[in-house]
Amino acid sequence: MYRYTLEPYKSMKMKFHCPNCHRKTFTRYIDLETQEYINEFVGRCDREIKCGYHYKPKDYFLDNNFDYKPLTKKHIKTKATKATYIKKEFLIQSIKNNYNNNFITFLIKLFGKTATKSLQQKYLIGSSKYWPSANIFWQMDIKNRIRTGKIMLYNKETGKRIKKPFNHIFWVHKTQAIIKTLTTETFNLQQCLFGEHLLKTNPTQTIGLVESEKTAIISSIFYPKLIWLATGGLNNLSYEKTKVLENRKIILFPDLNAFDKWQEISNKLSSKIDIKIYDQLESLAGSQEREKGYDIADYFLNEYIKHL
């Protein structure tokens, strides 16, 4: 076990400018024993696809002929094995109160109020006052236990995430309302797939697995033959999260520019679960689509809007 980790951050103010793309999306590695930065260039950029800068401590030490030291025993902590869950009343309240939810407004504009209400109930789309007009993508597992919720802010006209002056993403379990309810000092987060609670509706239905929650929600309108779930992030595709899908057929729909990474992971997972990867977007994509990082929902929407 090593003593170097990416610095935990509570807000974008703690981020640094990336040495490669110069955006304020850079997290530095720290030494857990000294609580100091290793070097101003040692860290990872959040823009994994468009930038990809990641200078690891191990590489830095090798480049400079330094020893890569392990963590001493006094700093090794035993992780709790049990997950912490959030009370359902928070989810219920968030769905009941609309708060002029921008994401809901966007869906209504596309699909109408009836279809949107169905989507909201199906995928547990809540509203949050953390930012005006923000939404919550709740993570409820197959046993109906609430793991957390991702608070996000979208543009109600375009349906795009608001990333300026900072990327509007926060977690329900980090809000004061949830912290006050905890009986332990820390919240032990163990995420699950977004939409996992839907698995009980049809035990044999094929799964469509995508990266973002928005993509899963929109894709479910255009291709309801699949149960659409989301990993919630590029790096969240793992056996730990997908083992709940054992005995199911799974089709991966990676975003453009993420195909190689997800294919590599799916090759490893295929020995344990029935998983295949959809590759037609790779052959259809032009340079503009790649630059924008299109996903399957973008293609669905483009074709849909053409016929409005």
Side-chain angles (χ1 to χ4, degrees):
M1 185 172 185
Y2 294 102
R3 64 193 246 183
Y4 312 105
T5 187
L6 289 168
E7 181 183 31
Y9 68 95
K10 296 180 180 179
S11 71
M12 290 301 294
K13 292 180 180 179
M14 296 179 66
K15 293 283 186 176
F16 295 91
H17 287 93
C18 175
N20 185 53
C21 69
H22 309 295
R23 301 284 188 91
K24 197 174 182 181
T25 52
F26 187 66
T27 304
R28 291 177 180 173
Y29 279 95
I30 60 171
D31 185 327
L32 289 174
E33 293 200 353
T34 65
Q35 293 300 311
E36 294 179 352
Y37 297 119
I38 299 169
N39 181 275
E40 62 181 312
F41 298 107
V42 181
R44 186 180 70 189
C45 181
D46 292 342
R47 304 172 73 236
E48 186 168 352
I49 297 299
K50 293 187 177 180
C51 176
Y53 184 92
H54 189 187
Y55 193 18
K56 299 178 181 179
K58 186 174 183 179
D59 296 329
Y60 170 76
F61 285 107
L62 288 173
D63 291 343
N64 292 276
N65 295 317
F66 296 145
D67 290 333
Y68 191 46
K69 299 177 180 179
L71 196 65
T72 56
K73 289 184 178 180
K74 68 177 181 179
H75 287 92
I76 298 176
K77 297 179 180 179
T78 303
K79 292 185 178 179
T81 55
K82 291 185 178 180
T84 308
Y85 303 111
I86 294 174
K87 294 180 180 179
K88 289 184 181 179
E89 62 192 65
F90 290 100
L91 181 151
I92 295 169
Q93 193 67 21
S94 75
I95 294 176
K96 186 184 298 183
N97 295 321
N98 191 13
Y99 299 136
N100 297 315
N101 185 319
N102 279 357
F103 184 65
I104 294 292
T105 301
F106 172 71
L107 292 177
I108 291 173
K109 178 184 173 184
L110 281 175
F111 307 122
K113 290 184 178 180
T114 302
T116 298
K117 186 175 181 180
S118 177
L119 287 174
Q120 184 180 20
Q121 294 174 344
K122 179 179 179 180
Y123 280 100
L124 309 175
I125 307 170
S127 298
S128 172
K129 292 189 291 185
Y130 189 80
W131 295 300
S133 305
N135 63 279
I136 304 174
F137 292 133
W138 291 99
Q139 289 185 15
M140 179 183 280
D141 64 25
I142 195 169
K143 295 183 178 179
N144 289 340
R145 299 171 302 194
I146 303 170
R147 304 295 186 95
T148 187
K150 188 188 292 186
I151 302 171
M152 304 182 77
L153 185 62
Y154 285 84
N155 182 301
K156 65 181 179 181
E157 298 297 329
T158 65
K160 301 295 183 181
R161 284 197 289 119
I162 294 178
K163 300 180 180 181
K164 294 182 179 180
F166 60 90
N167 201 355
H168 287 68
I169 299 178
F170 198 65
W171 295 95
V172 169
H173 67 271
K174 291 185 177 182
T175 60
Q176 287 300 312
I178 300 300
I179 292 173
K180 289 178 181 178
T181 67
L182 298 181
T183 56
T184 57
E185 290 184 5
T186 58
F187 187 99
N188 184 25
L189 174 64
Q190 293 183 20
Q191 294 190 59
C192 66
L193 296 171
F194 172 74
E196 187 178 303
H197 62 283
L198 298 174
L199 294 175
K200 295 188 298 183
T201 60
N202 190 324
T204 60
Q205 196 168 354
T206 302
I207 304 300
L209 192 56
V210 296
E211 181 180 332
S212 83
E213 297 87 352
K214 170 189 167 184
T215 303
I217 292 166
I218 290 175
S219 298
S220 72
I221 285 282
F222 293 102
Y223 202 83
K225 290 183 179 180
L226 302 180
I227 296 179
W228 291 88
L229 309 180
T231 63
L234 176 65
N235 296 309
N236 289 347
L237 179 61
S238 66
Y239 177 69
E240 185 62 31
K241 289 189 177 65
T242 57
K243 64 183 180 181
V244 71
L245 305 177
E246 289 179 349
N247 302 319
R248 298 260 194 172
K249 290 184 178 180
I250 308 160
I251 304 174
L252 291 180
F253 294 86
D255 294 0
L256 288 178
N257 302 324
F259 181 85
D260 291 342
K261 182 160 189 171
W262 271 28
Q263 185 174 49
E264 181 183 351
I265 298 172
S266 69
N267 289 340
K268 295 176 181 177
L269 294 176
S270 61
S271 62
K272 300 177 181 178
I273 55 178
D274 185 355
I275 191 167
K276 296 180 180 179
I277 193 163
Y278 183 81
D279 60 4
Q280 291 189 35
L281 291 190
E282 287 294 306
S283 58
L284 292 173
S287 58
Q288 188 175 7
E289 286 87 354
R290 291 189 183 279
E291 177 66 24
K292 293 181 179 180
Y294 265 36
D295 56 36
I296 188 67
D298 290 314
Y299 281 94
F300 282 144
L301 286 174
N302 282 348
E303 290 301 313
Y304 178 67
I305 291 171
K306 285 179 184 178
H307 297 90
L308 286 179

